[in-house]
Amino acid sequence: MSDYVLEIGTEEIPARFIANALKQMGEIASAALTAHHIAFSSIRTMGTPRRLTLLIAGLALQGEDSVEEVRGPAQKAAYDAEGKPTKALLGFANAQGVSPDSLEIKEAGGNAYVFASRRTKGRDTKEVLPGILTDMVSALYFPKYMRWGDLDFRFARPVRWVLSLLDREILPLTLAEVPAGRQSRGHRYLSGGAFDLAEALAYEEALRKVFVITDPEKRKALIRQQIEAIAEKNGCRVDPDEELLEEVTYLLEWPTALMGSFSEAYLAIPEEVVITPMREHQRYFPVRDKQGKLINRFVTLRDGGERMLELVTEGNERVLAARLSDARFFWDEDRKQSLEAYLPKLERVVFQEKLGTLGDKIRRIEALTAWLAEELQAGADTKEYALRGARLAKADLATNMVFEFAELQGIMGRYYALESGEKPEVAQVVLEHYKPRFAGDAPAAGAAGAFVAIADKIDTIAGIFAIGVEPTGSQDPYALRRAAMGVCQTILAQDLRIDLESLLLQALSQYMYVLADEDAAYGVLGRIMDFFEARIRGVLGDEGHRYDVIDCVTAVPMSQIQEVRERAQAISSLRQQEGFRRLVAGFTRAYNLTRKNEGGSKIDPALFSDETEKVLYARVTAAQQSIGGIMQREGLSGVILALSDLAGPIDAFFDAVMVMAEDPAVRANRLGLLQAVVDLTRLTGDLSKLQE
């Protein structure tokens, strides 16, 4: 067994590209080696801003021989009446390169077929591996690519060197016209530059000697340790921030933590205004005292050693001081007028070229918020807060602070609303209407904030779908998936009984100037509902519901998102009960018989000829009359339990009568009775989707 290392040396790759590229490298290489029947013990990937590395341990130098079974013609077509091979058999054997005598007869799917066993000799790894690696590099996906020179090759950044060693031997391959060798490069400033690597097994340790920690997990652990140590030494703490830690890990090759400070005067401005330029723009970690209060210090990392660290610290302090000075100026300037005074500026800010300005969007949000408040019978105070919050929701986009630090939208709106004398509840709506901002973020906590959050997101979804700019597999420029998921999460968190179709039609009615007519609006509505179904399925999957339960509850009208979830919860909790299992079995038989029934569920009791028909009809009629009350008292779980009582009468009915009777009237009557059963159980979903 051998060891192999591939290092692709580049100009500095953006930090956010690296982790996914390394994941792809490992997956593609593993799949390709497996497909070529080349054994290996393990695959590791490593990366820094200047290199992407693949290490393969325990690599076999020879692929294993493989045997592939290929199915040919059916036995009855392969031999004639005298048992002699037909042309079909001979042609198959010739195509597979085997003798007709070596073919075997095996059963597949209940029929006998001719099978050929085709043996392929394993290839030399040295011959196969260069092609595998070249294809792997070409297949890597990056959010953005670069081309350089006159090459057709594209990559995240220009390739400067390629290291390719199989044990001690160079494995020849060429990437971007750069031939592979045994040369790597150390830290840009701390090392002497290029050096020769003796063998693949020595890669990680050799790079460490030239001040490069190639393993990102080891770099991350070291950074975490340094941050905690320097904070502890200075009697303070740094809040855990995995996202920033991940980014910093891929910005450095040889991390060294340092602590700087800034003027205490800047702590007088809102905490978020201090943290945002520190974190988002400079990649600094904010520092708090032991009681959790923000203090005038920060921790950051340099890509280098301890030498002249004081000078580096001073440089970081100067940069941050300039940023904070700007932030304080914006804070002081923005508060010279009320938040509402910024609204006229939004009439000149384009939301989307076909959908008008931000001023237009505010008016649409206000209208949708009013509709929601009315539809959900909100109290007077909630309605007041929601409508005023909707009016001011986007005003901070015209302020200096948010123009410079876009991450503070909503956050600054809340501060400026309070500074302008708005009620705290209104200010909270301005903050909450953006929630949830990201995966894992909580939705709006208050009803008023939830109304505006839903109105804002639904307006965007409706408008973008109306102009035909729908998300694709790889493109979602308006973040509509996140917006739709936010709508679902907010509705579920607030337990809002909103008819989603009605809400969307209300939103689309404000875009009739871009839609041809009502038919076009309903066409867009259908596409948006399909889009929401995928999001609802995602929510239910995240909650742990099985795929067949999700198929069941989303196969029937799902305009009430809360009801869809309740269906899933009820079925998931009751599906193993014997009564429900029997109901599903009976429903499935009824469903299969009535799928093509065009007669509906017309039932004439006078046509009943068996007692089981009368009993089933009586039980179905009783259930139809009582199910509404059961739903109100006990919810869907109670409905399912009540419907489970139909299992016995359904089984008895099927045992006693022939549904597809010769008499058309009797047949139609029995199908109508079964259709009534199917229609009744549709309240819970399409039970035919459930699997054992």
Side-chain angles (χ1 to χ4, degrees):
M1 294 296 183
S2 296
D3 296 290
Y4 174 76
V5 60
L6 170 71
E7 181 187 70
I8 307 167
T10 67
E11 298 293 339
E12 273 78 358
I13 300 174
R16 63 190 177 92
F17 291 9
I18 300 174
N20 188 47
L22 296 179
K23 181 173 181 287
Q24 292 177 68
M25 287 173 66
E27 291 173 350
I28 295 171
S30 177
L33 289 171
T34 301
H36 284 83
H37 304 285
I38 298 174
F40 60 92
S41 298
S42 65
I43 287 181
R44 295 174 65 198
T45 56
M46 301 179 178
T48 75
R50 298 179 65 211
R51 69 201 77 227
L52 301 176
T53 304
L54 174 75
L55 298 103
I56 309 173
L59 181 66
L61 294 178
Q62 181 73 33
E64 298 173 356
D65 294 348
S66 61
V67 178
E68 178 185 8
E69 278 197 338
V70 183
R71 191 172 78 177
Q75 183 181 13
K76 59 185 178 182
Y79 299 96
D80 61 20
E82 298 176 0
K84 294 180 180 180
T86 63
K87 288 185 177 180
L89 177 70
L90 295 172
F92 171 69
N94 184 58
Q96 300 305 318
V98 298
S99 166
D101 296 336
S102 67
L103 300 175
E104 298 180 72
I105 305 297
K106 294 185 179 181
E107 188 175 305
N111 296 306
Y113 291 90
V114 172
F115 281 83
S117 294
R118 190 167 58 188
R119 183 173 296 276
T120 303
K121 184 173 178 55
R123 295 176 60 189
D124 189 329
T125 299
K126 292 180 182 179
E127 295 178 5
V128 178
L129 194 54
I132 288 177
L133 298 170
T134 303
D135 291 344
M136 176 196 73
V137 173
S138 299
L140 292 180
Y141 167 78
F142 296 98
K144 292 183 180 180
Y145 294 89
M146 287 185 68
R147 297 181 188 273
W148 57 98
D150 57 358
L151 303 179
D152 289 333
F153 185 86
R154 63 177 192 166
F155 205 63
R157 289 294 183 269
V159 175
R160 294 306 185 207
W161 76 90
V162 179
L163 170 86
S164 175
L165 286 184
L166 182 61
D167 292 329
R168 292 177 172 272
E169 177 184 348
I170 295 173
L171 183 74
L173 61 92
T174 300
L175 299 177
E177 295 190 357
V178 178
R182 65 172 62 252
Q183 194 173 83
S184 181
R185 300 185 189 179
H187 192 279
R188 189 183 291 277
Y189 305 113
L190 299 180
S191 74
F195 70 97
D196 286 346
L197 184 66
E199 59 176 338
L201 197 60
Y203 175 78
E204 190 173 358
E205 184 58 33
L207 267 293
R208 179 177 280 274
K209 289 178 179 178
V210 289
F211 305 100
V212 177
I213 301 173
T214 53
D215 188 330
E217 290 305 315
K218 291 179 180 177
R219 279 202 312 281
K220 183 186 290 187
L222 178 61
I223 292 169
R224 192 194 308 274
Q225 176 187 337
Q226 290 184 357
I227 290 174
E228 291 174 355
I230 199 170
E232 186 63 31
K233 180 181 177 181
N234 287 273
C236 48
R237 65 177 175 85
V238 174
D239 288 339
D241 190 336
E242 292 301 317
E243 184 180 353
L244 181 56
L245 180 61
E246 175 85 0
E247 183 176 7
V248 170
T249 296
Y250 289 109
L251 287 171
L252 311 165
E253 291 194 322
W254 192 260
T256 299
L258 59 91
M259 179 174 282
S261 62
F262 56 89
S263 171
E264 269 192 280
Y266 293 121
L267 295 176
I269 59 181
E271 182 176 292
E272 295 89 342
V273 178
V274 178
I275 291 175
T276 297
M278 191 185 302
R279 183 187 185 279
E280 303 295 336
H281 295 254
Q282 301 306 127
R283 309 299 185 263
Y284 297 169
F285 291 84
V287 176
R288 300 180 182 275
D289 62 21
K290 294 291 187 177
Q291 287 70 46
K293 182 181 178 183
L294 188 71
I295 60 176
N296 61 321
R297 292 187 179 183
F298 63 88
V299 174
T300 188
L301 284 297
R302 76 171 296 189
D303 192 9
E306 300 279 349
R307 184 171 177 270
M308 301 183 73
L309 198 59
E310 298 82 3
L311 190 61
V312 175
T313 303
E314 290 176 11
N316 280 278
E317 290 174 342
R318 284 198 301 272
V319 172
L320 181 59
R323 286 282 188 182
L324 293 178
S325 176
D326 289 343
R328 183 168 61 181
F329 172 78
F330 297 148
W331 168 249
D332 292 337
E333 284 295 305
D334 289 342
R335 291 183 299 149
K336 289 180 178 178
Q337 57 183 7
S338 69
L339 183 60
E340 189 170 19
Y342 288 97
L343 289 176
K345 291 185 178 181
L346 298 184
E347 303 295 341
R348 302 189 297 274
V349 179
V350 175
F351 165 58
Q352 204 281 340
E353 58 182 355
K354 295 181 180 179
L355 303 178
T357 65
L358 282 174
D360 297 323
K361 182 172 179 61
I362 286 174
R363 286 183 282 277
R364 292 193 299 266
I365 293 174
E366 288 180 288
L368 281 177
T369 299
W371 184 88
L372 282 166
E374 190 68 28
E375 192 75 9
L376 294 168
Q377 299 180 341
D381 287 346
T382 299
K383 186 174 182 179
E384 176 195 340
Y385 303 148
L387 288 175
R388 183 59 178 168
R391 176 71 177 158
L392 299 175
K394 304 295 181 183
D396 68 346
L397 297 179
T399 65
N400 293 297
M401 185 75 79
V402 176
F403 182 82
E404 180 68 18
F405 304 115
E407 303 88 350
L408 292 174
Q409 60 184 8
I411 295 170
M412 297 314 302
R414 175 181 175 276
Y415 279 113
Y416 293 148
L418 292 172
E419 290 281 329
S420 302
E422 299 288 343
K423 293 179 179 179
E425 295 86 352
V426 173
Q428 192 66 17
V429 170
V430 176
L431 171 68
E432 288 192 333
H433 92 280
Y434 283 108
K435 297 173 75 66
R437 292 173 179 260
F438 49 83
D441 190 24
F451 293 169
V452 182
I454 292 170
D456 179 25
K457 295 170 178 63
I458 284 289
D459 172 71
T460 300
I461 293 167
I464 300 302
F465 267 82
I467 61 174
V469 185
E470 300 175 19
T472 64
S474 60
Q475 299 292 323
D476 186 9
Y478 293 95
L480 299 189
R481 291 188 184 91
R482 185 175 67 192
M485 187 64 82
V487 170
C488 294
Q489 291 170 338
T490 304
I491 288 174
L492 293 173
Q494 289 285 334
D495 192 20
L496 302 177
R497 303 290 165 162
I498 301 173
D499 185 89
L500 185 59
E501 285 194 4
S502 299
L503 174 59
L504 286 167
L505 282 172
Q506 191 70 22
L508 288 168
S509 70
Q510 301 186 92
Y511 285 110
M512 294 309 297
Y513 64 92
V514 297
L515 294 165
D517 49 36
E518 284 192 8
D519 288 341
Y522 277 99
V524 172
L525 173 65
R527 295 198 297 277
I528 298 177
M529 288 300 294
D530 290 343
F531 180 69
F532 264 96
E533 179 183 339
R535 312 285 83 75
I536 294 168
R537 293 177 70 90
V539 170
L540 296 178
D542 290 342
E543 292 180 351
H545 297 289
R546 279 177 38 155
Y547 74 92
D548 57 331
V549 173
I550 297 172
D551 289 343
C552 169
V553 300
T554 56
V556 296
M558 37 157 271
S559 193
Q560 290 269 3
I561 296 176
Q562 191 67 284
E563 282 188 11
V564 178
R565 178 205 247 172
E566 289 171 358
R567 288 179 204 153
Q569 290 173 335
I571 292 173
S572 291
S573 64
L574 299 174
R575 63 177 298 158
Q576 297 304 322
Q577 293 192 10
E578 181 60 27
F580 183 63
R581 291 164 67 95
R582 290 177 60 198
L583 173 67
V584 172
F587 166 86
T588 302
R589 292 180 68 182
Y591 174 77
N592 289 335
L593 286 168
T594 59
R595 271 189 300 182
K596 297 181 181 179
N597 177 34
E598 297 177 357
S601 56
K602 295 178 181 178
I603 305 168
D604 182 359
L607 293 174
F608 293 156
S609 61
D610 190 273
E611 186 64 24
T612 59
E613 294 177 276
K614 299 175 184 177
V615 171
L616 181 57
Y617 177 66
R619 297 289 289 275
V620 168
T621 302
Q624 289 171 335
Q625 294 171 350
S626 64
I627 207 145
I630 295 173
M631 177 74 82
Q632 287 184 347
R633 294 191 308 273
E634 304 173 40
L636 273 166
S637 294
V639 169
I640 291 176
L641 290 173
L643 292 177
S644 296
D645 291 340
L646 294 174
I650 293 172
D651 290 344
F653 171 83
F654 279 120
D655 290 341
V657 305
M658 175 68 71
V659 176
M660 306 306 286
E662 292 186 9
D663 186 330
V666 173
R667 182 170 64 245
N669 203 52
R670 289 173 179 171
L671 287 172
L673 182 54
L674 292 179
Q675 187 64 56
V677 171
V678 171
D679 292 343
L680 198 56
T681 53
R682 285 278 186 178
L683 288 169
T684 62
D686 184 350
L687 299 182
S688 68
K689 301 290 186 182
L690 296 177
Q691 305 294 319
E692 287 295 331

